[in-house]
C-alpha cells in the first residue's frame, strides 16, 4: 500500500499556547512537511482547496509548485480541487504548470467540495453543484488529454479550437474525491478514473457502500475489475508508542478542530473515544493503526491510504510522521502490497476512450 499525507492548512490556535501561527510561517511549514514526507518515504503529499474559514488552502497550485521545487520523487496531489467552482481552463493551465515543474509527479483529484461558503463567494448556485461538477470535469479532461478543443456547455462561454498551455508533462491521472453521493462514484466509474473515499466523519460502512457502487458500475461499463484503483482518507491521525499516550496527546488537537467539522458533516460521533472506536480515526499504537488500516482494506480494497496531521505542533508532527513511517508503513505494505505507480501500473485510465 502507498501512503499520502493530505493537508487542508487549518490555521487554528495552538491548544496548548492559544497562539495562532503567522500565515507566512504556516505556509512554509506546509512545504517543509512535504520535504519531510519525501525523506520518510511517503508516496504522496496533498494540498486541498478551501475558501473562507480558518483554512489557508485557497491557492493549492501555488503551494504545490513550491513543493515541486523542494522535492524530486514524491507524488503531488490536490486533495481536492473543487472543480464545481473553478474555471476548467484555469485549472488545466495551473496544474499543467505544476506537472511540468515536477516532471510528471502531479495527481489531480477533483470533486464538488462540501463547503457551502464556496458557492456564493464565486457567484454560483449551490443547488447546481453536481451539474457544475460534471460539466467542468468533462471539459477539464478534454483540455488535458486533447488539443484543438471545440466545446460548448451551460456554465461558461464556448471554446473554439483551443489548446491550453503549458501542456501537462505526462498524462496526469484525474482522481475523483467521494464523501457523500454516488454521483461522484458514478462519474469516476464512467470515465475509468480512480476513486478516493474521504473516509472521514462516518462509519466505514457508509464509505464502503460508495466504493462498492464505484466497483459495480466500473464493471457494468465493461472495465476489468482489476484496473479499478481506490484510495482512502482517514478521520484524523496520531500514532504513539501506546494507545493511552496517543489518545492523551491527540485530544487537545481533536477538541480544537474536530467537533465543529463533525457537526458540519453530520457525524454521529460526539467524543474522541467514539471517533476512534466506531469511526475512522487512526489514533493509537502502531499495531492498532496497522490493524485498523487492514479493516479499511477489507472494506475498500484500496491501494492508497491518506492521513492528516492537521494542527499538530512542528515537533509533534515530525514525531508522528517518523513513527508512522518506521512502524506502520512497512507492516501495512507487507500485508497489502500495491502496484500503484510501479511498472505494472499502466495508467490505462488516462488512455481510456470516452464513454458512450
Amino acid at each position: 500500500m502507498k501512503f499520502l499525507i493530505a493537508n487542508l492548512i487549518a490555521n487554528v490556535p495552538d491548544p496548548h499556547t492559544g497562539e495562532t501561527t503567522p500565515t507566512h510561517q504556516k505556509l512554509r511549514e506546509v512545504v517543509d512537511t512535504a520535504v519531510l514526507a519525501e525523506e520518510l518515504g511517503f508516496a504522496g503529499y496533498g494540498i486541498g482547496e478551501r475558501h473562507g474559514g480558518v483554512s489557508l488552502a485557497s491557492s493549492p497550485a501555488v503551494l504545490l509548485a513550491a513543493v515541486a521545487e523542494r522535492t524530486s520523487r514524491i507524488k503531488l496531489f490536490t486533495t481536492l480541487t473543487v472543480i464545481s467552482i473553478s474555471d476548467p481552463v484555469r485549472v488545466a493551465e495551473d496544474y499543467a504548470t505544476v506537472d511540468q515543474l515536477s516532471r510528471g509527479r502531479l495527481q489531480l483529484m477533483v470533486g464538488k467540495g462540501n463547503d457551502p461558503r464556496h458557492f456564493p463567494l464565486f457567484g454560483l448556485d449551490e443547488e447546481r453543484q453536481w451539474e457544475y461538477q460534471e460539466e467542468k470535469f468533462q471539459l477539464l479532461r478534454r483540455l488535458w488529454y486533447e488539443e484543438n478543443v471545440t466545446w460548448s456547455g451551460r456554465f461558461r462561454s464556448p471554446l473554439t479550437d483551443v489548446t491550453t498551455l503549458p501542456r501537462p508533462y505526462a498524462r496526469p491521472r484525474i482522481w475523483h474525491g467521494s464523501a457523500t453521493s454516488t454521483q461522484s462514484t458514478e462519474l469516476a466509474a464512467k470515465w475509468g478514473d480512480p476513486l478516493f473515499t474521504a473516509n472521514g466523519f462516518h462509519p466505514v460502512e457508509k464509505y464502503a457502500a460508495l466504493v462498492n457502487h464505484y466497483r459495480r458500475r466500473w464493471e457494468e461499463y465493461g472495465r476489468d475489475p482489476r484496473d479499478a484503483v481506490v484510495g482512502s482518507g482517514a478521520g484524523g491521525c496520531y500514532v504513539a508508542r501506546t494507545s493511552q499516550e496517543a489518545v492523551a496527546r491527540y485530544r487537545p488537537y481533536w477538541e480544537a478542530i474536530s467537533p465543529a467539522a463533525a457537526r458540519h458533516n453530520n457525524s454521529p460521533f460526539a467524543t474522541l473515544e467514539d471517533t476512534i472506536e466506531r469511526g475512522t480515526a487512526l489514533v493509537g499504537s502502531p499495531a492498532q493503526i496497522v490493524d485498523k488500516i487492514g479493516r479499511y482494506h477489507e472494506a475498500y480494497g484500496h491501494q492508497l491510504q491518506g492521513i492528516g496531521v492537521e494542527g499538530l505542533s512542528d515537533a509533534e508532527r515530525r514525531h508522528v510522521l517518523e513513527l508512522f513511517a518506521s512502524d506502520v508503513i512497512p507492516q501495512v505494505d507487507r500485508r497489502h502490497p500495491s502496484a500503484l505507480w510501479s511498472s505494472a501500473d499502466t495508467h490505462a485510465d488516462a488512455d481510456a476512450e470516452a464513454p458512450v
Side-chain angles (χ1 to χ4, degrees), residues 8-9 47-60 79-80 82 85 113-115 117-118 121-122 201 264-265:
L8 275 172
I9 325 179
I47 298 174
E49 180 180 358
R50 284 288 188 276
H51 302 274
V54 299
S55 174
L56 301 178
S58 59
S59 299
T79 50
L80 49 71
V82 186
I85 64 171
N114 74 340
D115 193 328
R117 293 171 296 190
H118 288 176
L121 184 63
F122 288 91
F201 294 97
H264 172 72
N265 288 277

Side-chain angles (χ1 to χ4, degrees), residues 33-111:
T33 301
V35 174
L36 175 63
E38 180 169 273
E39 292 172 354
L40 294 175
F42 283 84
Y45 188 76
I47 298 174
E49 180 180 358
R50 284 288 188 276
H51 302 274
V54 299
S55 174
L56 301 178
S58 59
S59 299
V62 176
L63 287 167
L64 286 173
V67 170
E69 290 302 288
R70 292 277 307 279
T71 59
S72 60
R73 300 182 308 277
I74 198 166
K75 300 291 184 182
L76 308 182
F77 271 82
T78 68
T79 50
L80 49 71
T81 296
V82 186
I83 192 65
S84 57
I85 64 171
S86 303
D87 182 348
V89 172
R90 190 72 210 181
V91 172
E93 294 171 339
D94 283 350
Y95 287 108
T97 301
V98 174
D99 198 45
Q100 287 287 347
L101 288 170
S102 66
R103 296 191 178 185
R105 290 186 282 137
L106 181 72
Q107 302 277 297
L108 186 72
M109 188 185 302
V110 300

